[in-house]
C-alpha cells in the first residue's frame, strides 16, 4: 500500500489568471482543515502574466503551509492536471480551478466522505455561480452550466453512466490510487490556452466507471465559480459552445459512440425548440434565441471538427 505524506493535495492548474489567484488562495488558507494535512500545488501552464511571481509570493507569505510550484511546458489543461497528479503527495487529489473559491469546510467534507466510503474513487459536489458583473439578459438556468454551475441534486447520490451527472472540473476529488488503475487525463481533450475544448472530465469519469470504480456526489462539498463579464460575451459563449461540440466529437469517436452522440444531439434539438417556444410565448426572446444559437454552435463543433 502506498504511503502518503498528506491527506489531500490541492492542485491548481493555471494559465494567465493572476487576477483570481489571490481570492482562491485566501479560500484555501481559510480552510477548517488543519494545514498539516494538506498541500497546495500550483501548476503554471506557461502563463505570460505575473502568475509565476505571484505563486512565489504565496510561498513566502505562508511559510507554515506546504506550497509547491511547477511549470508544465506542454500546453493544455490535461497536461497540467497530469503533472499535478505526478507531483502530488496526498492520499486524495482535488483540482481547484484558478477562478473558483472553496467553501471553508470543503477539504474537510471531501476527506470525511472518502475516509468513510473506501469504495468511492471520485467525489464531486455543487458549484454555484458568483457573477462579478450583471447577469446577461439572455441568461437562463438551462445555460448556467456554461459558466460552471452544477447542482444536480440536494441529496447525495452515486453516479450511473446513463445519467451522466459526473463531477465537474471546479469540484472533483479523486483517490490518488485511481489514476494508476484508470490512467491519467486524456491530453487530446481539455483546454489549450484559450481554445475552449473540454470533455476530459467526462472521459475520466466514464473510465473510472468502466473499470468498476464508484463516483459519488455530496451536496456538502461546495465551490463557488467566478463569472467575469468577459465570459458572458457572445463571442466567448460561441467559442465555448463550439469547444463543447468539438470535445464531444473527439471523445465519442474515441469511444466508438459517435452515432449515439449524434442521436442524443437530435433529441437535444427537440428540447431546445420546445424551450424556444416556451420563452417566446412569454416574450423572453433574448433567452429563447440564445438557446437556439447555443445548440447550433454545439452541433457545428460536433459535426465539423477535423483532427489535424
Amino acid at each position: 500500500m502506498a504511503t502518503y505524506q498528506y491527506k489531500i493535495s490541492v492542485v491548481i492548474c493555471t494559465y494567465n489568471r493572476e487576477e483570481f489567484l489571490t481570492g482562491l488562495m485566501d479560500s484555501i488558507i481559510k480552510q477548517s482543515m488543519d494545514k498539516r494535512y494538506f498541500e497546495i500545488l500550483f501548476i503554471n501552464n506557461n502563463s505570460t502574466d505575473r502568475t509565476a511571481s505571484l505563486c512565489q509570493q504565496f510561498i513566502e507569505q505562508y511559510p507554515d503551509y506546504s506550497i509547491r510550484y511547477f511549470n508544465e511546458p506542454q500546453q493544455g489543461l490535461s497536461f497540467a492536471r497530469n503533472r499535478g497528479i505526478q507531483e502530488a503527495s496526498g492520499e486524495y487529489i482535488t483540482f481547484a480551478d484558478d477562478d473558483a473559491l472553496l467553501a471553508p469546510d470543503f477539504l474537510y467534507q471531501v476527506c470525511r466522505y472518502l475516509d468513510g466510503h473506501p469504495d468511492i474513487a471520485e467525489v464531486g459536489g455543487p458549484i454555484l455561480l458568483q457573477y462579478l458583473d450583471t447577469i446577461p439578459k439572455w441568461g437562463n438556468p438551462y445555460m448556467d452550466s456554461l459558466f460552471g454551475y452544477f447542482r444536480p441534486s440536494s441529496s447525495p447520490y452515486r453516479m450511473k453512466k446513463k445519467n451522466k451527472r459526473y463531477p465537474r472540473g471546479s469540484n472533483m476529488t479523486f483517490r490518488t490510487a485511481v489514476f494508476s488503475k484508470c490512467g491519467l487525463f486524456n491530453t487530446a481533450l481539455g483546454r489549450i490556452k484559450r481554445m475552449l475544448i473540454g470533455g476530459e472530465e467526462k472521459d475520466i469519469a466514464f473510465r473510472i466507471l468502466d473499470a468498476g470504480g464508484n463516483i459519488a456526489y455530496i451536496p456538502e462539498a461546495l465551490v463557488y465559480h467566478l463569472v467575469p463579464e468577459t465570459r458572458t460575451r457572445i463571442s466567448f459563449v460561441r467559442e465555448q459552445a463550439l469547444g463543447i461540440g468539438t470535445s464531444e466529437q473527439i471523445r465519442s469517436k474515441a469511444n466508438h459512440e459517435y452515432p449515439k452522440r449524434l442521436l442524443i444531439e437530435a433529441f437535444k434539438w427537440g428540447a431546445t425548440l420546445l424551450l424556444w417556444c416556451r420563452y417566446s410565448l412569454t416574450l423572453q426572446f433574448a433567452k429563447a434565441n440564445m438557446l437556439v444559437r447555443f445548440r447550433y454552435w454545439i452541433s457545428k463543433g460536433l459535426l465539423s471538427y477535423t483532427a489535424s
Side-chain angles (χ1 to χ4, degrees):
M1 180 178 293
T3 301
Y4 299 101
Q5 186 175 356
Y6 298 96
K7 173 60 69 175
I8 188 167
S9 300
V10 182
V11 175
I12 304 164
C13 301
T14 185
Y15 174 74
N16 286 352
R17 291 279 183 81
E18 63 172 290
E19 68 270 28
F20 299 122
L21 289 178
T22 298
L24 171 59
M25 190 65 181
D26 286 345
S27 75
I28 297 173
I29 295 300
K30 293 175 181 177
Q31 288 296 299
S32 60
M33 175 178 280
D34 191 302
K35 59 181 175 291
R36 293 176 297 172
Y37 299 117
F38 67 90
E39 65 172 347
I40 304 166
L41 276 64
F42 284 98
I43 312 297
N44 183 359
N45 201 202
N46 303 313
S47 297
T48 57
D49 60 3
R50 293 180 54 256
T51 291
S53 60
L54 194 56
C55 290
Q56 185 59 43
Q57 179 181 316
F58 292 145
I59 293 173
E60 297 172 357
Q61 185 177 356
Y62 301 106
D64 295 337
Y65 287 79
S66 176
I67 307 173
R68 292 188 286 150
Y69 169 84
F70 304 91
N71 186 77
E72 172 49 51
Q74 296 187 89
Q75 200 69 53
L77 179 55
S78 289
F79 283 113
R81 283 175 171 164
N82 290 342
R83 178 66 180 276
I85 294 167
Q86 293 163 2
E87 301 291 351
S89 302
E91 181 180 358
Y92 311 136
I93 296 176
T94 192
F95 292 95
D97 273 11
D98 52 11
D99 55 354
L101 304 172
L102 307 184
D105 63 345
F106 175 80
L107 295 181
Y108 166 78
Q109 292 292 351
V110 294
C111 289
R112 177 191 62 82
Y113 186 84
L114 290 171
D115 285 347
H117 299 80
D119 64 316
I120 297 296
E122 179 186 3
V123 64
I127 304 169
L128 304 185
L129 302 182
Q130 185 170 313
Y131 284 88
L132 303 183
D133 203 78
T134 57
I135 300 175
K137 292 181 179 179
W138 51 260
N140 64 80
Y142 302 102
M143 290 185 62
D144 281 349
S145 60
L146 183 70
F147 303 127
Y149 179 83
F150 184 68
R151 197 175 196 176
S153 175
S154 58
S155 303
Y157 64 80
R158 293 194 175 205
M159 177 188 169
K160 297 184 184 300
K161 193 169 183 179
K162 63 181 181 181
N163 66 29
K164 300 182 180 179
R165 297 188 297 176
Y166 56 91
R168 299 316 197 255
S170 298
N171 192 337
M172 55 183 189
T173 304
F174 301 82
R175 290 187 187 277
T176 303
V178 76
F179 296 107
S180 297
K181 183 177 182 180
C182 300
L184 300 175
F185 284 93
N186 184 347
T187 54
L189 299 170
R191 293 191 177 189
I192 301 174
K193 290 188 176 180
R194 298 304 181 190
M195 292 174 59
L196 303 180
I197 298 174
E200 76 283 6
E201 296 146 13
K202 179 189 289 188
D203 178 73
I204 192 72
F206 282 15
R207 280 194 277 130
I208 288 172
L209 294 179
D210 288 341
N214 295 305
I215 299 174
Y217 169 89
I218 55 172
E220 299 85 2
L222 184 62
V223 167
Y224 298 90
H225 197 261
L226 305 181
V227 185
E229 182 272 336
T230 53
R231 287 180 65 97
T232 65
R233 295 174 185 172
I234 302 299
S235 58
F236 185 93
V237 174
R238 177 182 179 276
E239 290 304 310
Q240 183 142 341
L242 287 169
I244 291 171
T246 297
S247 61
E248 275 297 277
Q249 183 188 146
I250 296 171
R251 187 197 63 79
S252 61
K253 284 185 174 179
N255 292 292
H256 309 290
E257 298 176 347
Y258 189 55
K260 179 182 177 181
R261 182 60 184 83
L262 292 176
L263 182 62
I264 291 171
E265 189 68 8
F267 279 108
K268 290 188 174 184
W269 263 110
T272 297
L273 294 175
L274 287 174
L275 288 170
W276 182 88
C277 293
R278 174 187 168 187
Y279 278 122
S280 295
L281 288 172
T282 56
L283 304 182
Q284 300 181 74
F285 296 112
K287 300 182 191 305
N289 293 335
M290 179 55 80
L291 283 169
V292 172
R293 296 172 76 183
F294 181 63
R295 181 52 50 193
Y296 167 76
W297 290 325
I298 290 179
S299 296
K300 183 176 180 180
L302 184 64
L303 293 168
S304 64
Y305 172 75
T306 302
S308 56

